[in-house]
Amino acid sequence: MRKFIAEVSEKLRSHEHKLTSRRECILCILLENKDKHLSAEEVYNLVKQKSPDMGLATVYRTLELFCEFNIIHAMDFGDGRKRYEFGDDSGDGHHHHHLICEKCNKIIEVNEDLLEELENRITNDYQFSISNHHLKIFGICKECMAKSNNKQ
């Protein structure tokens, strides 16, 4: 974690920004919850436990700054709120996909590139250079299906 924080600090410094103690606190919250897709409000609520004097505006500005430098990515999962996750720095332009439960709002990551064949066809048939894609599939997770089956 310290190595990643140092890398973020260097990235910000190279663009004439600093990793202030408040920004580092927000980054640590994101790192501690990297398996979740937190909204700005959720980040704020977690940050308040460690730094009660930090304001919501600081959290929003920091998240936007981190997005600007591709430290994190903002996603909308259909609930009207941006949620944040760390990006894939592999450089190949491929990201994981998401399954979103319409009952409990659980977000499940699918770490396979399911669109490679489609991308190849688009590139060849339309002479279109794809730089990125996002796939969100909405449905009902197995836990919510089990709850529904138990009620019947």
Side-chain angles (χ1 to χ4, degrees):
M1 185 154 95
R2 282 276 131 215
K3 181 181 176 198
F4 183 75
I5 292 171
E7 290 170 4
V8 168
S9 179
E10 181 56 36
K11 184 179 247 187
L12 292 176
R13 196 171 27 256
S14 71
H15 291 91
E16 300 182 10
H17 291 276
K18 293 180 181 177
L19 184 63
T20 63
S21 60
R22 290 176 185 257
R23 290 175 180 163
E24 185 173 343
C25 181
I26 293 166
L27 182 61
C28 287
I29 291 295
L30 292 169
L31 286 168
E32 290 165 8
N33 294 279
K34 66 182 173 188
D35 59 327
K36 298 179 179 119
H37 298 82
L38 299 175
S39 67
E41 293 81 11
E42 291 168 327
V43 171
Y44 172 70
N45 289 332
L46 292 169
V47 164
K48 289 293 281 183
Q49 296 171 13
K50 293 184 177 189
S51 182
D53 61 329
M54 193 175 316
L56 182 58
T58 300
V59 171
Y60 273 109
R61 282 193 306 271
T62 300
L63 293 172
E64 289 305 310
L65 180 71
F66 289 169
C67 284
E68 181 181 335
F69 293 110
N70 292 318
I71 296 163
I72 59 173
H73 299 284
M75 307 269 309
D76 182 349
F77 292 109
D79 61 358
R81 297 190 309 174
K82 284 184 185 176
R83 296 183 179 276
Y84 299 91
E85 67 179 4
F86 288 99
D88 176 16
D89 289 335
S90 65
D92 64 4
H94 295 273
H95 294 279
H96 56 268
H97 306 298
H98 298 93
L99 309 176
I100 300 124
C101 180
E102 295 171 315
K103 289 203 182 253
C104 69
N105 297 317
K106 178 194 286 185
I107 300 166
I108 303 164
E109 293 186 359
V110 177
N111 290 311
E112 301 173 56
D113 187 359
L114 306 172
L115 299 178
E116 192 167 350
E117 183 180 330
L118 177 61
E119 285 182 343
N120 290 334
R121 283 184 38 209
I122 289 170
T123 299
N124 294 328
D125 294 351
Y126 296 93
Q127 286 74 50
F128 186 82
S129 177
I130 298 171
S131 60
N132 196 358
H133 67 262
H134 299 280
L135 178 64
K136 297 177 241 177
I137 300 173
F138 295 86
I140 310 298
C141 71
K142 67 181 177 181
E143 288 85 5
C144 289
M145 283 191 296
K147 287 177 189 174
S148 291
N149 291 338
N150 289 337
K151 289 181 182 177
Q152 295 175 357

